[in-house]
């Protein structure tokens, strides 16, 4: 009798965690920010979560930016690189300011839990480094406090730009009412500025209801037990106990702040029941970092928990259906933004060796028109447009191979930017000569703030 009750309890508990919360919508004009440690940083490799966002909300334009950083904590310590720890926090704030998010997914906790394990081991070879990470012991209470500080900073920054955007929208609406009485009837199909790929991505009035950023807080995943597959790996029991404490702290903070919370507590148990024959049985590469299957499954878990899973997400044998051309375009856009946000030679561009190659920092702005073009392609594809060989993220036509064959074409490099920039056009007043421009001759956005170098561990 007890085994039956235990099985029933497990089933009910799993169902409760898998049950969708009130539907979470992405609205027209939203700017979605993914921010966290390795959990969200490696999403840039696979692009499943962002692709499913576009599939579920194909009828509305929005943008997604991923500023996550491997091994990071909510105060941005990993971003400091060769500089003092405080530099990481300043870089994080500057990066967030360039995105101006209306929706923020926060995925922290794993790195902080590993920091706690390191400190409690008292093993000098693990280099706890209190001078860098602080003398206060890392634990769930400290982590919750620091995550709250990050949310406060995001809301503080957002208060300014969301208020300004709301005022502009209101003024535009009032001017539109005044003009409507005397204006000629609008054409059935308004003309579009096809020379500006980002024209369809402008914010709309409902991008930030209530003038506040909407937060989604993700718990860390459980430490997967891979000892049968890879003997020598540690028993994850102690680590999972810590991770449960961090997940509880995140859930408490979400409740206190009116944010939505997605728990991965039973993720590996529930998802493992699926009959999938062409994926590895495990969800992680090493117990703590999701594999390709893990990210595919995690993206479904997230959209399901948020109540946004539509019929397109029905389970099929061999994994979840997903548009390969759309995912390829998303990954290509992600790669372009990643190399702008974190150039591999940033120490030479922005750091203590910028006296050697700092003049090349202006090339970062050359990514802007490429990213805008990639986003326009995502918008076209998610609305049902056919994959076109040669477009961003779409493989070239190969004899005997269907144009729709899944593949991720290499994203354009910064050196290709001049082909889409204005050629030999004079600089507008107030714009320095040589400032990169869009196809319409308008100067691009300012060069992003400096960022630390990318290491092999980051990717």
């Amino acid at each position: 009798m007890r085994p039956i009750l235990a099985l029933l309890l497990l089933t009910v508990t799993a169902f409760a965690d898998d049950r969708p919360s009130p539907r979470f919508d992405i609205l027209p004009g939203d700017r979605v920010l993914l921010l966290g440690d390795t959990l969200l940083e490696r999403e840039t490799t696979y692009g499943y979560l962002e692709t499913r966002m576009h599939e579920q909300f194909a009828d509305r334009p929005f943008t997604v930016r991923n500023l996550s950083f491997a091994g990071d904590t909510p105060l941005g310590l990993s971003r400091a690189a060769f500089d003092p720890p405080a530099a990481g926090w300043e870089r994080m704030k500057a990066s967030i300011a360039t995105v101006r998010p209306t929706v923020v997914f926060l995925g922290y906790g794993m790195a902080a839990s590993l920091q706690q394990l390191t400190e409690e081991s008292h093993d000098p070879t693990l280099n706890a480094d209190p001078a860098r990470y602080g003398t206060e012991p890392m634990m769930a209470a400290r982590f919750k406090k620091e995550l709250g500080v990050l949310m406060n900073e995001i809301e503080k920054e957002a208060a300014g730009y969301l208020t300004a955007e709301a005022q502009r929208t209101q003024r535009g609406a009032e001017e539109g009412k005044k003009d409507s009485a005397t204006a000629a009837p609008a054409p059935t199909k308004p003309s579009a500025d096809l020379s500006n790929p980002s024209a369809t991505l402008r914010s709309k009035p409902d991008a930030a209801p209530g003038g506040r950023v909407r937060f989604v807080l993700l718990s860390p995943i459980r430490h997967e037990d891979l000892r049968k597959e890879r003997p020598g790996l540690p028993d994850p029991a102690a680590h999972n106990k810590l991770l449960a404490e961090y997940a509880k702290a995140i859930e408490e903070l979400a409740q206190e702040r009116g944010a939505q919370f997605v728990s991965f507590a039973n993720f590996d148990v529930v998802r493992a029941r699926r009959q999938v024959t062409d994926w590895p049985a495990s969800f992680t590469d090493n117990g703590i970092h999701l594999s390709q299957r893990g990210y595919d499954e995690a993206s479904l878990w997230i959209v399901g928990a948020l109540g946004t899973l539509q019929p397109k997400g029905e389970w099929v044998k061999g994994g979840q259906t997903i548009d390969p051309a759309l995912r390829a375009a998303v990954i290509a856009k992600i790669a372009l933004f990643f190399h702008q946000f974190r150039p591999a030679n940033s120490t030479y561009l922005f750091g203590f060796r910028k006296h050697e190659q700092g003049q090349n920092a202006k090339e970062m702005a050359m990514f802007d028109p490429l990213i805008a073009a990639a986003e326009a392609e995502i918008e076209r594809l998610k609305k049902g447009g056919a994959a076109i060989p040669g477009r961003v993220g779409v493989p070239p036509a190969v004899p005997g191979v269907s144009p729709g064959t899944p593949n991720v074409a290499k994203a354009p490099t910064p050196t290709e930017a001049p082909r889409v920039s204005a050629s030999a056009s004079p600089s507008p007043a107030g714009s320095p000569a040589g400032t990169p421009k869009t196809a319409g001759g308008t100067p691009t956005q300012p060069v992003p703030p400096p960022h630390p170098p990318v290491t092999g561990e980051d990717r």
Side-chain angles (χ1 to χ4, degrees):
M1 187 65 178
R2 287 189 177 182
I4 296 177
L5 288 175
L7 178 60
L8 179 61
L9 179 61
L10 174 62
T11 303
V12 172
T13 304
F15 175 78
D17 279 2
D18 202 26
R19 186 170 49 202
S21 58
R23 179 182 172 88
F24 178 85
D25 281 329
I26 292 177
L27 304 175
D30 263 332
R31 298 181 293 271
V32 181
L33 171 61
L34 306 182
L35 186 64
D37 55 24
T38 312
L39 175 65
L40 286 177
E41 194 230 34
R42 292 192 178 185
E43 156 67 13
T44 61
T45 301
Y46 303 109
Y48 284 113
L49 178 58
E50 182 173 343
T51 301
R52 288 205 158 88
M53 287 182 188
H54 286 294
E55 285 188 334
Q56 303 305 323
F57 301 103
D59 62 336
R60 61 204 66 178
F62 61 91
T63 60
V64 182
R65 295 288 184 269
N66 194 326
L67 297 177
S68 303
F69 213 104
D72 208 12
T73 61
L75 296 186
L77 291 177
S78 291
R79 302 164 196 255
F82 299 110
D83 297 317
W89 175 243
E90 295 304 318
R91 285 175 178 141
M92 177 184 279
K93 292 194 296 182
S95 299
I96 294 171
T98 65
V99 176
R100 299 163 65 90
T102 57
V103 175
V104 180
F105 283 71
L106 294 176
Y108 286 98
M110 179 62 76
S113 72
L114 293 173
Q115 180 179 336
Q116 182 173 349
L117 281 179
T118 297
E119 293 171 352
E120 293 178 352
S121 71
H122 302 293
D123 184 345
T125 64
L126 295 179
N127 188 27
D129 197 1
R132 188 168 189 82
Y133 297 105
T135 56
E136 180 184 355
M138 177 55 74
M139 55 183 59
R142 173 185 167 184
F143 169 80
K144 178 183 176 181
K145 178 176 64 177
E146 293 180 352
L147 189 59
V149 169
L150 175 58
M151 294 177 71
N152 289 341
E153 181 60 34
I154 293 173
E155 289 183 325
K156 175 184 173 183
E157 178 70 24
Y161 62 75
L162 291 180
T163 299
E165 290 173 5
Q167 291 173 346
R168 286 196 298 270
T169 299
Q170 180 64 27
R171 286 197 299 269
E174 292 173 354
E175 292 173 359
K177 290 179 181 179
K178 293 178 182 178
D179 296 339
S180 61
T182 56
T188 303
K189 291 185 178 180
S191 59
D193 180 8
L194 299 180
S195 66
N196 181 9
S198 63
T200 61
L201 301 177
R202 292 169 182 156
S203 297
K204 296 187 178 181
D206 53 357
R212 297 188 61 186
V213 173
R214 290 113 67 205
F215 286 97
V216 178
L217 274 56
L218 310 178
S219 81
I221 64 170
R222 285 169 47 83
H223 188 147
E224 188 176 24
D225 192 347
L226 298 180
R227 287 176 293 170
K228 290 183 179 179
E229 301 174 23
R230 298 172 61 182
L233 289 180
D235 182 347
H239 189 200
N240 278 328
K241 184 178 179 181
L242 280 184
L243 287 168
E245 295 175 3
Y246 282 81
K248 182 180 179 182
I250 295 170
E251 182 177 15
E252 290 174 350
L253 185 61
Q255 292 174 348
E256 294 168 7
R257 306 293 287 264
Q260 294 200 247
F261 172 69
V262 176
S263 171
F264 281 102
N266 288 328
F267 165 70
D268 50 346
V269 177
V270 176
R271 305 307 283 184
R273 296 174 185 166
R274 292 185 56 202
Q275 298 298 316
V276 181
T277 59
D278 55 351
W279 282 107
S282 61
F283 292 90
T284 64
D285 291 324
N286 54 9
I288 61 174
H289 296 140
L290 290 172
S291 61
Q292 181 172 359
R293 180 193 178 184
Y295 277 103
D296 186 19
E297 298 281 5
S299 68
L300 290 169
W301 184 265
I302 292 170
V303 296
L306 294 175
T308 61
L309 193 59
Q310 300 298 312
K312 190 163 188 166
E314 292 178 353
W315 293 347
V316 296
K317 184 178 180 181
Q320 196 73 15
T321 56
I322 196 165
D323 184 339
L326 178 59
R327 179 169 168 253
V330 165
I331 292 175
K333 186 274 301 181
I334 288 173
L336 289 168
F337 179 71
F338 182 90
H339 292 304
Q340 182 188 56
F341 163 51
R342 289 166 62 179
N345 58 340
S346 63
T347 301
Y348 291 88
L349 297 178
F350 307 111
F352 66 90
R353 300 189 69 171
K354 64 182 180 182
H355 61 280
E356 299 177 48
Q357 297 183 24
Q359 72 277 7
N360 296 321
K362 64 179 182 292
E363 293 183 5
M364 294 300 98
M366 294 179 181
F367 280 99
D368 289 334
L370 299 177
I371 295 171
E375 287 181 325
E377 179 66 3
I378 291 171
E379 290 297 315
R380 188 186 70 81
L381 288 171
K382 78 182 189 182
K383 290 178 172 58
I388 301 175
R391 288 284 183 92
V392 174
V394 180
V398 178
V401 178
S402 169
T405 301
N407 185 28
V408 180
K410 182 180 179 182
T413 61
T415 56
E416 298 177 87
R419 294 193 299 173
V420 295
S421 300
S423 57
S425 57
S427 300
S431 175
T435 299
K437 304 175 183 63
T438 63
T442 304
T444 59
Q445 296 298 313
V447 175
H451 300 287
V454 179
T455 66
E457 288 296 320
D458 292 333
R459 297 298 284 162

